[in-house]
Amino acid sequence: MAPPVHPPLLPPPLPEGPPALAPNEAADAPRRRLRLIEIDAFIDSSLFAVWSALTAAVEGLSRFTRRFRATGFARVPVELAGDGLTIAAGGGVVMLMLALPAFDATKQDWLAQSDYSVTFLDRNGTEIGKRGVRHSEAVPLEAMPDSLIKATLATEDRRFYTHFGIDVFGTFRALFENLRSNSVVQGGSSITQQLAKNLFLSNERTIDRKIKEAFLAMWLESNLSKHDILQLYLDRAYMGGGNFGVAAASEFYFGKKVTDINLAEAAMLSGLYKAPARYAPHVNLPAARARANEVLTNMVQAGYMTEGQVLGARRKPADVVPAAADNSPDWFLDWAFAEVKRQVTGGDRTLTVRTTVDMNLQQAADDAVENALRESGEQFRVSQAAMVIAEPDGAVRAMVGGRDYGESQFNRATDALRQPGSSFKPFVYTAAVQKGYTPQSIVKDAPISIGNWSPRNYGGRYMGSIQLTTALIHSLNTVAVRLAAAVGRDTIIALAHRMGITTNIVNSVALPLGATEVTVLDMTGAYAVFANGGFRAKPYAFTQIVNSEGKVVFDRKRDIGAPEQVLDEKTVGMMNYMLSQVPERGTGRAAKLQGIKTAGKTGTTNAYRDAWFMGFTGNYVGGVWFGNDDFTSSNNMTGGSLPARTWNRVMTYAHSGIDLKPIPYLDGGPSDGERPAPAIAAAGGSGQQPLLLSARTTAQLGALQKVFETAPPLKRLNTAALTPEPSGTAN
């Protein structure tokens, strides 16, 4: 039998590999790999070559500089000089970074601002003040008395014609004297620095402002002559009594042109630059004369005059003409002047402006702030305040920018950015109402945490499940935070901007509690939306502007369209109901007006730095802030204490003798149909309120008084001619 035949053994099939390359592709593959290697080699060699060249250059420079290396004793000053140059270069870069924000102010037509000459009238047409410089009445520097120029330079800046804008020696001298006296007894600012502050900056006392002031002073020195700087300073300096410039001050205090003043009067004017409120002669003549005597001494010490030449002025000091009480609404006029310049940018700049200010209400607001700070400022450790009173359409009737305009012209009502605290919560609640919440909605007051932040209520207590109205009445923080989480902080920010907040609102977890910065003016305009039924109410300062030819260049009724509606009636009605309960039974009880429906909200910030009351009636809306310029804490002052009481005092006056209007969409209007009870004159600290008259009554009484003062004397009546002769018969 033949053996079986087996098939030949074959190698196992190879795994399937990449497809075979075409002849051209097979030839290009090594070439591509070679090209990549070439590129890598080129980069490496280039970098090595550059590094080698740099190393060689540095080594060569080092060998070159070694020839000049100082040795021995000379090495110390050379090393110090080198380090000094290095530090100076770095400092120059830092200085340039600090200077850029200051130079932004010079981009505007700042010098042309002096072209404006604006006369302001109150709402009744009575002149209340002026701003700007009348070029037709301006006095050139060459025509001013030599004694006034010398007194100014001797007192303010003896090295004015030799320094570059900053008096370094004067600054160190003032610093030394202040340290030695442990108080501010001398100022180190040059005339150029003071002019820079007047032209570009505010009077807020901050390091940032002083840095900008220094850079702007050097900028002025490089762009203006010494003659022009001194001319502008004398034209723009605040001299007290609402007067700007020596020409206006001379006419106000002495009743004469500045070209006609004598040495004693020049010394008195020159003593006003640094502290016009303290030394204003129409307020404190003895202090003004004492200050003028110091100016005369400065003139002798500076070598401008001899003691014999100033002796006559010492023996016979200046006197002032009788002047009316200084009640110019200066903070309001400063704001109105800025608004006028925004409205009228070209053409005739000699203008007459009818403003919205009510001088009687303005005086009441000034008195209320001053009385509050005098009576309670020390108790609460608070030194400043701001207030804006407006009608619901935005017409500002009174504005207080601080305690004393003469001490500080910084307007805390329009320019100070402060945290509003819980007075911001109505924006949160309004957004919630627009999302479907009602005053009766049940919300939860309980501890809450967002990340590492756990807000607490004032007092640390929680009320559990409560109505939305109750939460606003007691200003509960946890509820505001929960509402913000429900509606969204972006929604709240957009709503606040639509209602009138113009400053940047920081989107943070603490926003619902007022952790952002606003102004009193903006907050007043925003609350006016509640007071007028839901319409945007941007605060405004004037209703009409007329140029020198009598042409009306602006008329509010003609040029401003209908206001934008930002809240619907239903939302306004529910918010006004809840806000009206805050003075009734909540944190704002001290603001409740007798017989007048009142609505509003208190606000207190962390560490008691800021205290607010924002409120309104059907007639007026107003905001009040108390705090300190340096952001130090008060003595546990809340918005329901001094701010609410001050708001009440002003609003009580404002509503006396006027027709009361109801709060929009809030039933009842004045509570129980009452009207304000007539005030009774206080006597012997009886606790009764002083007599309060309406603006109309006050104006009428003033006019009647003028009639009596100017009326001719009555002729004596001949009573003998009127006596009947006795009859001959008895009755």
Side-chain angles (χ1 to χ4, degrees):
M1 181 174 179
V5 178
H6 297 284
L9 295 176
L10 298 175
L14 296 175
E16 184 176 357
L21 296 175
N24 292 339
E25 292 179 348
D28 290 341
R31 193 175 303 165
R32 283 199 301 269
R33 287 195 296 269
L34 182 61
R35 189 175 298 122
L36 292 175
I37 293 174
E38 291 174 350
I39 294 173
D40 181 67
F42 174 77
I43 293 175
D44 289 343
S45 60
S46 298
L47 290 176
F48 178 78
V50 171
W51 176 254
S52 299
L54 288 175
T55 303
V58 172
E59 182 63 26
L61 179 63
S62 178
R63 287 195 302 269
F64 177 76
T65 55
R66 287 194 194 105
R67 303 176 183 177
F68 305 97
R69 178 174 295 177
T71 58
F73 292 105
R75 181 176 180 180
V76 175
V78 171
E79 293 286 346
L80 291 176
D83 292 342
L85 290 173
T86 302
I87 296 173
V93 174
V94 174
M95 296 287 281
L96 181 61
M97 294 173 60
L98 295 174
L100 291 177
F103 293 153
D104 286 340
T106 65
K107 294 179 180 178
Q108 303 174 356
D109 190 11
W110 58 272
L111 193 56
Q113 292 178 358
S114 60
D115 292 342
Y116 287 92
S117 173
V118 183
T119 301
F120 290 99
L121 313 177
D122 68 5
R123 61 179 303 191
N124 299 315
T126 302
E127 183 176 330
I128 55 174
K130 297 180 179 180
R131 287 294 186 270
V133 178
R134 290 186 180 274
H135 285 276
S136 59
E137 300 174 4
V139 179
L141 192 63
E142 295 80 5
M144 291 187 184
D146 184 64
S147 58
L148 177 62
I149 305 299
K150 290 180 177 179
T152 299
L153 295 177
T155 305
E156 297 300 303
D157 193 352
R158 297 181 188 179
R159 280 176 287 274
F160 172 70
Y161 284 101
T162 58
H163 62 63
F164 57 92
I166 301 174
D167 185 1
V168 178
F169 295 104
T171 300
F172 279 106
R173 183 199 68 245
L175 180 62
F176 175 76
E177 292 295 334
N178 294 338
L179 290 175
R180 189 176 66 173
S181 303
N182 198 26
S183 63
V184 180
V185 296
Q186 287 189 13
S189 296
S190 66
I191 283 180
T192 314
Q193 287 176 274
Q194 295 179 55
L195 178 62
K197 179 187 66 176
N198 293 338
L199 289 175
F200 303 110
L201 305 172
S202 69
N203 283 342
E204 190 175 14
R205 296 179 179 178
T206 62
I207 296 296
D208 179 66
R209 195 218 76 189
K210 293 296 293 183
I211 293 174
K212 291 180 179 178
E213 179 184 291
F215 283 115
L216 289 170
M218 291 186 287
W219 185 89
L220 285 173
E221 290 279 348
S222 63
N223 286 272
L224 297 177
S225 66
K226 291 286 187 180
H227 177 282
D228 293 336
I229 291 173
L230 186 56
Q231 176 78 65
L232 279 172
Y233 179 73
L234 294 174
D235 285 342
R236 299 295 295 268
Y238 180 65
M239 308 293 287
N243 298 284
F244 288 83
V246 293
S250 176
E251 294 186 4
F252 182 79
Y253 293 126
F254 310 128
K256 61 175 69 172
K257 293 184 177 181
V258 69
T259 54
D260 299 329
I261 61 175
N262 56 35
L263 176 59
E265 293 164 342
M268 185 170 286
L269 288 181
S270 299
L272 295 175
Y273 299 118
K274 290 291 179 68
R278 188 184 310 165
Y279 301 119
H282 72 302
V283 175
N284 192 339
L285 184 58
R289 286 175 170 173
R291 174 64 175 167
N293 198 50
E294 294 179 9
V295 173
L296 294 173
T297 300
N298 292 337
M299 297 177 71
V300 174
Q301 292 176 348
Y304 294 146
M305 286 190 173
T306 65
E307 183 60 39
Q309 290 174 311
V310 303
L311 184 60
R314 292 189 193 274
R315 290 181 174 178
K316 189 178 181 181
D319 206 346
V320 297
V321 298
D326 178 23
N327 60 348
S328 179
D330 290 309
W331 279 299
F332 176 89
L333 293 182
D334 288 347
W335 172 60
F337 186 45
E339 294 295 306
V340 168
K341 289 189 289 186
R342 273 193 281 269
Q343 183 65 45
V344 181
T345 57
D348 189 350
R349 294 185 176 185
T350 300
L351 309 169
T352 300
V353 178
R354 182 181 288 271
T355 70
T356 58
V357 70
D358 184 320
M359 289 303 298
N360 295 295
L361 187 54
Q362 177 68 52
Q363 187 63 49
D366 288 332
D367 293 343
V369 167
E370 174 59 29
N371 291 337
L373 290 172
R374 185 175 62 250
E375 296 167 1
S376 306
E378 185 175 352
Q379 171 193 348
F380 286 109
R381 291 202 302 270
V382 64
S383 60
Q384 285 296 346
M387 178 188 296
V388 174
I389 305 296
E391 291 196 356
D393 71 335
V396 175
R397 298 304 186 195
M399 176 181 288
V400 181
R403 185 171 188 175
D404 191 329
Y405 184 83
E407 292 290 340
S408 171
Q409 291 87 56
F410 178 66
N411 194 334
R412 295 156 188 84
T414 61
D415 299 330
L417 295 175
R418 307 298 295 230
Q419 291 193 359
S422 293
S423 63
F424 189 84
K425 289 177 181 175
F427 303 120
V428 180
Y429 280 70
T430 301
V433 169
Q434 290 182 329
K435 291 289 186 179
Y437 285 79
T438 69
Q440 293 76 34
S441 295
I442 301 300
V443 293
K444 186 178 182 180
D445 176 31
I448 183 175
S449 295
I450 301 178
N452 296 326
W453 182 61
S454 300
R456 296 192 307 163
N457 292 330
Y458 183 78
R461 297 181 179 181
Y462 303 95
M463 303 178 67
S465 297
I466 55 173
Q467 289 188 348
L468 192 66
T469 302
T470 305
L472 185 60
I473 288 173
H474 296 286
S475 196
L476 301 178
N477 290 336
T478 64
V479 174
V481 173
R482 282 189 167 86
L483 290 176
V487 303
R489 293 195 298 270
D490 289 335
T491 301
I492 297 169
I493 292 173
L495 174 65
H497 283 314
R498 288 201 308 274
M499 292 181 66
I501 302 299
T502 61
T503 55
N504 179 49
I505 300 178
V506 180
N507 189 343
S508 66
V509 292
L511 173 65
L513 310 185
T516 189
E517 293 182 331
V518 297
T519 66
V520 178
L521 185 67
D522 276 2
M523 287 289 283
T524 303
Y527 270 71
V529 176
F530 299 124
N532 66 30
F535 295 90
R536 177 74 182 267
K538 181 180 179 181
Y540 61 93
F542 47 81
T543 57
Q544 194 176 72
I545 301 176
V546 180
N547 65 15
S548 60
E549 298 177 354
K551 179 182 177 181
V552 177
V553 296
F554 172 82
D555 186 275
R556 183 171 181 82
K557 293 182 179 179
R558 180 192 68 190
D559 301 327
I560 301 298
E564 172 192 3
Q565 184 169 1
V566 294
L567 299 179
D568 59 83
E569 298 179 5
K570 184 178 179 181
T571 300
V572 173
M574 286 190 282
M575 284 304 304
N576 285 353
Y577 167 75
M578 289 190 286
L579 290 171
S580 69
Q581 300 306 301
V582 175
E584 289 286 341
R585 50 195 179 97
T587 58
R589 285 188 288 268
K592 181 182 178 181
L593 301 176
Q594 181 181 2
I596 304 172
K597 203 67 174 179
T598 311
K601 186 69 187 72
T602 57
T604 309
T605 61
N606 287 338
Y608 300 97
R609 290 188 179 92
D610 304 278
W612 297 68
F613 184 80
M614 301 297 309
F616 58 92
T617 66
N619 296 81
Y620 290 102
V621 57
V624 179
W625 165 85
F626 279 86
N628 295 306
D629 285 342
D630 58 2
F631 292 90
T632 54
S633 300
S634 67
N635 183 22
N636 298 333
M637 181 179 60
T638 64
S641 58
L642 196 59
R645 293 201 301 266
T646 306
W647 188 93
N648 181 296
R649 181 178 296 184
V650 176
M651 287 298 188
T652 297
Y653 173 86
H655 289 80
S656 297
I658 66 173
D659 295 330
L660 301 180
K661 300 176 182 178
I663 294 177
Y665 314 122
L666 183 65
D667 295 334
S671 58
D672 303 324
E674 298 177 0
R675 291 294 183 267
I680 305 173
S686 63
Q688 296 170 315
Q689 293 180 331
L691 178 62
L692 299 174
L693 301 176
S694 68
R696 185 184 305 173
T697 303
T698 303
Q700 291 176 343
L701 289 176
L704 186 61
Q705 180 181 359
K706 289 183 179 179
V707 171
F708 281 119
E709 291 175 350
T710 58
L714 295 175
K715 295 181 179 180
R716 188 175 183 85
L717 187 64
N718 185 0
T719 57
L722 300 178
T723 303
E725 297 180 0
S727 60
T729 58
N731 294 329

